Amino acid sequence: MSYIRLPSTTIISKPTSSSSTFPSNNSKDSWWTQIFDPGGQFITRWNHMFLITCLNALFVDPLYFLVPEIARRKYCMRSDYGFAAIITVWRSLIDVISFIHIFIKFRTAYVAPNSRVFGRGDLVMDPRKIALRYLRTTFAVDLAAALPLPQLFIWFVVPAVSTAAHANHSISLVIIIQYIPRLFVIFPLNQRITKTTGVIAKTAWAGAAYYIMLYMLASHVIGATWYLLAIERQYSCWKEECGKEENATYPCNRVFFDCDHVDEPGRDEWLKETKVLYNCSAETSPINFTFGMYGPAFTEGVTSAPFFEKYFFCFWFGLKSLSSYGQNLETSTSVGETLFGCSVCLGGLVIFCLLIGNMQTYLQSTTARLEEWRVKRRDTEEWMRHRQLPPDLQDKIRRFVQYKWLATRGVDEEDILRALPLDLRRQIQRHLCLALVRRVPFFSQMDDDQLLDVICEHLVQSLSTKGQYLVREGDPVNEMTFVIRGQLESSTTNGGRSGFFNSITLKPGDFCGEELLTWALTPESNVNLPSSTRTVKALNEVEAFALRAEDLRFVAKQFKRLHSKKLQHAFRYYSHQWRTWGACFIQAAWRRHKRKKLAEELARQEGLYQYFNDDDDGGENDQNAQHLGATILASRFAANTRKGINHKEGVVPSAPSMPKLFKPDEPDFS
């Protein structure tokens, strides 16, 4: 016994040996013995394809109404068999697909009604039960919609009847009767697709185009029906006027109106004396017979025009009639014509309401987020005016709102991710963030994929506009920020000391808030967040990822890989706080070295001076050199003494000395 797993994680058993899904390459059974899952990918795609086939069928069938035409020069009715052959081939292909659909429904499982306790339910996989259920439900409708009745009538029944009028009546009757089951097929199919996938079209514009196409299809049906009724109206006039000439010298015969009988004896003489053609001409506006809404078919020569001219005029008539709810129709007192006008009016009202309602729904879905943003922006403007915020602050708020809209289009990514399972969230975050995280030099030193996945999982998007402060010196650090695009200015005054200022530019790949990493890696760190040693300001629009304090501490506790010496050196090298301290330490050491060398030189010169004083044999030139060196050393000593006095008295010297910069707290990497 084999098992399958459904999307709702319900496991059901299959009583037969065949697979329950569309056949795979490893399946040993033939494809015609497979049982298909009604919610599987194959059935979903097939339903979409068969929906397109059904729409084609609804379009093809009314084309049979355009087969009959009137030969203006011969004053008779005939059928365009060349056009009928094209329609027959098209319709036959649709019928073949319809029979394939019937076979697939015989092999498609269904959900047992008594198993809908939780989730989707259990699938019935027994072919016998599937077939019996299908035969009891929709098999008759599907079979009636798939039968090739129009092809049989136009190629076998029509040649056997006597006149073209009877042929037109037969074809129109068959098509109208078969059109009903075709409609009954398409509506449940539409509901089944909506139930399985949620929507007919994946995009809003595709959904709007779908309902526009349905409206155009209805216009096509109305136009083709109007054309067929116009041909019938012309034949009714001929038949009525023909009955009035039974006692004429050359009596009228209804066979004369069939183009297949134009060679009948007596027809030419009858044409010379008859008044039937004059009385049944829409151009002469006869008094005894009115064509009503069918008049344009004859005044514009539609009934004898080439196919494309005839089709597009009929389509335009149907579209115009549906759009105006039949108000442009001028009907006669004929009951059939009046009923057709009423059906056009009611159909136009219903279909137009359906079109407008669904079009509005789909188009609003494309602009709903934009309209929501506009309302939020308007509320922000009203709030700023109500609170009387200064103009410069209002400009900053506007720039941020505009930049956030351009970057996210109003989509809350965190809300979307929270609705997904944990595994999908990790895969999405890895896809979005892993390449960007590896661009950060500190993270590029990590060779643990699991650690990088966890870091990607906890990263959140951070947007900043020009002039916005991410953190100020002395404020608690809430997050560690990694720059993706844009530039940040990071500056420090070493706690507000006078005469000290250090500024650097953070570019893509740099990070700030490294004090938080020290805080997270220190086991005995308290709950209070560390204070920032630098002020970070956006120089332009900045896109970054932020790692919050709680998330960073969680990662540090879970992964001891962060405590390695390699990452310790990488952190020191790429940390701008450590770089600043290192530069200041080197400068201070260099100045101490210079002072030490100066003191040694001074001591050497003093010793030399003492030596020359004790030497009585020294010449006059040596005494002059001695006095010159002593003068230089005395001036240097006086200058250094003056600097010390000024420093004690609080006087700022001309060349400020390097103040002491405390070494940053080193993380516990042990």
Side-chain angles (χ1 to χ4, degrees), residues 19-81:
S19 176
S20 62
T21 57
F22 188 65
S24 60
N25 295 332
N26 298 328
S27 178
K28 298 180 180 180
D29 298 332
S30 303
W31 64 269
W32 54 82
T33 62
Q34 304 298 317
I35 300 298
F36 302 104
D37 183 1
Q41 186 178 8
F42 170 74
I43 294 298
T44 301
R45 292 182 177 179
W46 172 261
N47 287 336
H48 278 88
M49 188 188 74
F50 188 66
L51 177 63
I52 298 175
T53 303
C54 292
L55 293 177
N56 271 275
L58 295 179
F59 175 81
V60 169
D61 286 353
L63 291 178
Y64 281 104
F65 294 164
L66 304 180
V67 171
E69 59 182 4
I70 294 177
R72 175 171 294 185
R73 295 183 179 181
K74 297 182 179 180
Y75 305 104
C76 60
M77 187 183 303
R78 65 185 179 187
S79 298
D80 188 355
Y81 285 102

